[in-house]
Amino acid sequence: TGTLADPIVIPSLPFGDYRDTRTAGPSTIDRYTSCSQANESGPELFYKLTVTQPTNLRIMVMSRGTSDIDVHLLDTPPDGAHCMARNDKTIVTTVQPGTYYLSLDSYVNSAGTVLSGQYLLVVIADP
């Protein structure tokens, strides 16, 4: 369902997924304090990725229209204090064997407008 209790499982790489935070997803994490002070209090969807060897990841999110969906790479436990990386478009990083979470969260601008909407998530293993 895309919640923390039931994240969308990334079964293998490469992986792609198209969703809309206006129609799915709770608003569980408002700030990812170890990555940013940005207001991410809009709805988000969670993904779970398990890797069995060191992996070079390229995680890309493309927001559609006026939406602004940011991608966050989270360690365990998956919360704002365990954010490993954040970007509004692309994260390139190397992870060790283990389980990681992605949060695709709707940004809230300075006027208080929640910029939720459609996005495409692509996760690949770079050589």
Side-chain angles (χ1 to χ4, degrees):
T1 60
T3 65
L4 268 177
D6 186 27
I8 300 160
V9 174
I10 299 174
S12 62
L13 299 176
F15 174 82
D17 194 49
Y18 182 75
R19 304 261 175 181
D20 190 331
T21 60
R22 293 174 299 191
T23 59
S27 182
T28 305
I29 301 175
D30 292 341
R31 298 217 190 268
Y32 298 81
T33 55
S34 57
C35 287
S36 169
Q37 291 301 313
N39 183 347
E40 303 280 358
S41 60
E44 69 266 335
L45 289 162
F46 293 95
Y47 295 79
K48 181 178 178 181
L49 172 65
T50 300
V51 296
T52 58
Q53 61 188 22
T55 304
N56 299 319
L57 292 177
R58 182 174 299 269
I59 305 163
M60 299 167 284
V61 63
M62 289 146 269
S63 301
R64 186 164 186 211
T66 59
S67 64
D68 187 350
I69 311 302
D70 298 331
V71 61
H72 305 81
L73 176 64
L74 309 175
D75 203 353
T76 304
D79 59 28
H82 289 92
C83 181
M84 300 170 62
R86 173 203 180 269
N87 198 282
D88 66 336
K89 298 201 181 356
T90 304
I91 294 173
V92 177
T93 191
T94 301
V95 295
Q96 298 304 311
T99 298
Y100 301 90
Y101 295 84
L102 301 177
S103 173
L104 281 286
D105 207 336
S106 303
Y107 177 73
V108 178
N109 68 19
S110 60
T113 304
V114 179
L115 301 175
S116 56
Q118 298 171 331
Y119 68 86
L120 173 64
L121 170 67
V122 176
V123 183
I124 60 174
D126 274 346

